[in-house]
Structure formats: C-alpha cells, structure tokens
Amino acid sequence: MKTIDELLADGVAGKRVFVRADLNVPLSGTTITDDGRIRAVLPTVKALADAGARVVVASHLGRPKGAPDPAFSLAPAAARLGELLGADVAFATDTVGESAEATVTGLADGRVAVLENLRFNAGETSKDDAERAAFADRLAGLADVYVGDGFGAVHRKHASVFDLPARLPHYAGHLIATEVGVLKKLTEDVKRPYVVALGGAKVSDKLAVIDQLLGKADRILIGGGMAYTFLKAKGYEIGSSLLQEDQLPAVVEYLERAEKTGVELVLPVDALVASAFPDLKAKAPADATSVAADAIPADQMGLDIGPESRKLYASKIADAATVFWNGPMGVFEHPDFAEGTKAVAQALLDSEAFTVVGGGDSAAAVRILGFDENAFGHISTGGGASLEYLEGKTLPGLAALED
C-alpha cells in the first residue's frame, strides 16, 4: 500500500487530489456536536494543500436515500474544516454535477474544496456494480490522484471507497496508515497480557469479533446492554434488561469455549438498575439502585455496570500490556449511568498498556466525559471498520488501496 508520503515526495503541486475522508459527524440541526472525524483528516488535507495540491474532499454523512436531503448536507462540515485549516474552503452543492465541476475547475493551487454528501447520489452505495462504476467514473473525472483517508468507511463496498481507487493512482492518507498500523499491533505480535473490553447495546454486533478474540485475547470484559444476554445465558434473572434471546445459544457456546481455552471472560458482578430507560434530553435524576448481577428485580432494567464491577474491570486492566476498548459500559449519555464507562476509560489511562479506543460510541464517550484524547494510545475513527478488521475480514477500502 503506497502512502501519502510517497505521493508528496513525487510532488503534487497543481494536481487535483481527491481525498475520500470521513466527515460523518454528529449534528444537532446544523451544529456539529463532535468534530473528531474532521480533525482526524486534517493532517492529510493540510499536507496536500501546503504542497500545492488542489484538494477535493469528499465524504458521506448519515444515511440519505440516494437523493439530496438538506438534513444531511456536508455544508457544516465544510465550514468547520475551513475553520480548522484557517483558510476558505469552497463547497460544491452537488457531487458530480455543474457545481462540483465548476468548484473543482476554479480551485487554485493549495486550495481546498468539499463536495456535497456522496450518498445524495444512489450510485455511491448501490449494490449494482455497473451503477457504482458509472458514479466512480464521474468522480474520477474530477481528479488526477486518489487518497483514501476515510477509515470509518473502508468496510463499505461503495463507489468512492472501492471503485474509484482503481481508476486513479491511489495512496493511503495519514489517518488510514496510522489506523492500519495500530490494528496490526492488535493482531500481529501482540504484547501481553492482551485485554479487550467490549460494550454497547447488542451482543449480535460483537459476536464475530468475540469469536476471533477467544483465540487471541487473554481477557475479555463484557459490559453494556450486551452483558445481559451473557448473564441470561448463565441462568441469571435480568428483569427487563436488554436481551437478544436468539443469540443465547451462541453466547452459551462462547462461555464454554472461553473456559476450555483459558480465556478469562469477565462479566459484571453487579449492575445499576432503574424501572425505566432514562430521559437523555432532560437528564433528570433516575431511580438508580445497585444490585447483584444475578438478582436484578423483574421490574428493573440494567443500565450500567455497578460499583463492584467497576473495581473488578479496573483490576483486570491494570496489568495489561495491550488494551482494546469498544463500546460503552452503560447509558453514558445520562450522568447517573456514566460511571461504568468512566471507570473503564480511567483504567486505560492508569495502566501502562498500549491503549486503543475503538471508535464509535467509545470515542464519543471519551470526549463527552471530558477525558484528554491525547492520553490514550490511539482513538480510532471507525468503530465498525476496527471490529471487522479484528474479525479478520477483508475491508474493501483497504483492499482497493493495495497495489
């Protein structure tokens, strides 16, 4: 895989460089609530602009239905990118139409433009190879060189991620090169003890990665909504807690495999429960109580790991040499159920391990809960992409960058 360093060494002045970024930031109306993904692509965009390239940045945002939708416009992201660069950023109001062509044609050396949301064109996400190829052909007409730097999208077989690199000289940007380097530290010659903390709502989202990690990790800590399916598999009463009943056979099998292979699969020993899911907007105090993990009342639901589980998980992380964390331990958006997630994040910081936060809600939690991002070894921009890499899957966007 060639990197942007090789591209810069060859010279890019005057060239139109298409940067497939991941500007899929959370919005409240037109206000960006977390600009982490924009900041992540900044080194690549700035390096190209400083070298005199005409930089064409493209991304998706949300899941529009293959047609323009103002609610998913990239205009706020383009404005924020300009603020971070300290320079005007041109914005095309379409992807491959008149505005895009005029905007790119009008770019001077060292300047940056952002195209409108790629998913406003049905060809971006089409499962029909010909339709995707036709859209990729039109995108290719806007550029001389392709740089892939949208790690959060590399697990998608989309036109701008998979088809476009085949049509242009292609390179990995700084972000993708960093992400791949980090993930190799989690899959090749891993420093041990290797501890993985997995949370989030659905156990089905994590089954494939647990399957792989049962042969690689030394300890796997389970939290979040997915923990209650594990507790149910052990025969515990879980009240009205989140349960994926159809996943119970797989979870039972994983518990048995962990015991046979000597992998420590750690479940909560207590939980914070309440009678109803909290109001995340009002953030009014909840009727939270702590109970043993095997004694959740029938009319209560688990919403966070309890105080004893926090201590247990911190102790399991303390001596680690490598830690990968993906998924919050509870409903961290509400202050009454954020302590479990805080405890895991703090345990990563207190350890001397190489620590990786696996994107998505985990990365958002780090920022929302006030932790210093730079104190972690690495915070990924792609939760789904990170998990699929650890599952051993071939990621289309990375395969497309290989020569």
Side-chain angles (χ1 to χ4, degrees):
M1 183 185 296
K2 291 181 180 178
T3 69
I4 188 175
D5 291 332
E6 295 170 82
L7 173 60
L8 292 169
D10 290 340
V12 292
K15 291 183 179 179
R16 300 170 303 164
V17 181
F18 187 103
V19 177
R20 200 336 179 157
D22 180 8
L23 307 182
N24 185 28
V25 292
L27 295 172
S28 177
T30 59
T31 301
I32 296 170
T33 58
D34 182 355
D35 67 356
R37 284 175 171 164
I38 301 174
R39 288 185 284 111
V41 78
L42 204 61
T44 289
V45 174
K46 191 173 187 309
L48 290 167
D50 288 349
R54 302 176 184 188
V55 188
V56 182
V57 180
S59 176
H60 70 287
L61 191 152
R63 295 186 178 182
K65 306 298 184 182
D69 183 338
F72 297 105
S73 175
L74 275 173
R80 180 58 179 150
L81 179 61
E83 291 172 1
L84 293 169
L85 287 170
D88 289 338
V89 168
F91 181 66
T93 57
D94 56 24
T95 55
V96 291
E98 291 182 6
S99 180
E101 291 178 5
T103 300
V104 174
T105 299
L107 270 183
D109 292 0
R111 308 304 290 183
V112 179
V114 174
L115 303 181
E116 185 54 284
N117 192 336
L118 290 165
R119 292 186 183 175
F120 285 1
N121 189 304
E124 169 67 0
T125 60
S126 176
K127 289 182 168 44
D128 181 83
D129 291 347
E131 187 177 10
R132 272 200 335 273
F135 184 48
D137 286 340
R138 296 187 70 186
L139 290 173
L142 299 173
D144 305 305
V145 181
Y146 177 93
V147 172
D149 215 31
F151 181 74
V154 294
H155 58 316
R156 306 295 187 192
K157 192 177 181 181
H158 291 170
S160 66
V161 176
F162 178 75
D163 302 89
L164 183 55
R167 289 156 170 77
L168 296 167
H170 46 268
Y171 301 82
H174 289 309
L175 176 61
I176 279 188
T178 297
E179 294 271 15
V180 171
V182 166
L183 289 170
K184 284 184 177 179
K185 291 184 179 180
L186 301 179
T187 54
E188 302 172 13
D189 193 26
V190 183
K191 292 185 178 178
R192 298 184 179 279
Y194 178 20
V195 178
V196 176
L198 295 175
K202 295 181 178 179
V203 68
S204 56
D205 293 342
K206 304 291 196 305
L207 281 182
V209 76
I210 293 171
D211 183 57
Q212 286 292 315
L213 290 170
L214 280 171
K216 295 174 181 174
D218 297 297
R219 297 177 201 134
I220 302 175
L221 318 181
I222 303 291
M226 62 184 284
Y228 302 101
T229 300
F230 277 84
L231 295 174
K232 184 71 172 179
K234 288 179 70 70
Y236 294 172
E237 170 60 57
I238 63 167
S240 59
S241 305
L242 184 64
L243 170 65
Q244 285 190 284
E245 198 160 0
D246 61 324
Q247 303 298 328
L248 283 171
V251 170
V252 168
E253 194 262 323
Y254 287 170
L255 288 168
E256 292 173 351
R257 269 179 58 195
E259 189 171 354
K260 288 177 183 176
T261 58
V263 175
E264 210 178 336
L265 206 159
V266 185
L267 302 179
V269 294
D270 59 352
L272 278 187
V273 301
S275 58
F277 197 85
D279 185 334
L280 299 184
K281 289 186 177 179
K283 290 185 170 56
D287 59 340
T289 56
S290 176
V291 300
D294 61 353
I296 297 175
D299 63 346
Q300 301 280 298
M301 63 174 62
L303 295 166
D304 193 14
I305 60 173
E308 294 306 314
S309 299
R310 292 176 221 148
K311 294 176 189 175
L312 173 65
Y313 285 21
S315 72
K316 297 296 183 182
I317 291 169
D319 68 342
T322 304
V323 183
F324 174 71
W325 168 37
N326 180 279
M329 296 292 108
V331 186
F332 73 94
E333 299 92 340
H334 192 285
D336 289 353
F337 304 107
E339 293 304 317
T341 302
K342 282 184 183 177
V344 168
Q346 189 61 53
L348 264 68
L349 296 183
D350 292 342
S351 75
E352 296 182 1
F354 173 64
T355 57
V356 179
V357 180
D361 285 341
S362 311
V366 164
R367 289 187 274 269
I368 291 170
L369 298 177
F371 289 94
D372 178 5
E373 297 175 62
N374 296 320
F376 296 88
H378 179 70
I379 296 181
S380 178
T381 58
S386 296
L387 288 177
E388 290 198 16
Y389 189 100
L390 294 182
E391 289 167 21
K393 290 184 177 179
T394 297
L395 306 188
L398 296 185
L401 294 174
E402 298 287 353
D403 291 317

